[in-house]
Amino acid sequence: MPRTRLDHRPKHEHLARLLYGVIHLEGGTIKAASEKIRMSDDTLSRRLKDPGSITLDELVNIGRRLGISIDDLRAAIRY
């Protein structure tokens, strides 16, 4: 019988959930969030699909513009 790995989750799942949750509360669309963050729609959607590709400067910018505390961002990043 094949084995399953039920505990397997993407490395940056917590960060993605935090960002998607805040974006949903702010307006619910990538377009509205990208205007607030001052980032293009394409770039923001690419970053959200792969949160590991977000640079530290972009993450700090997103946190400031969306009102996410630095403690929440630190807690969402897994090493």
Side-chain angles (χ1 to χ4, degrees), residues 25-62:
L25 289 175
E26 288 293 322
T29 64
I30 298 293
K31 185 164 180 72
S34 66
E35 289 173 1
K36 191 167 189 176
I37 297 170
R38 297 180 188 160
M39 184 183 284
S40 72
D41 299 344
D42 295 333
T43 303
L44 182 60
S45 62
R46 266 188 281 126
R47 298 294 192 251
L48 290 175
K49 287 179 185 174
D50 181 21
S53 68
I54 299 175
T55 64
L56 186 58
D57 290 335
E58 289 173 340
L59 190 59
V60 169
N61 182 32
I62 290 169

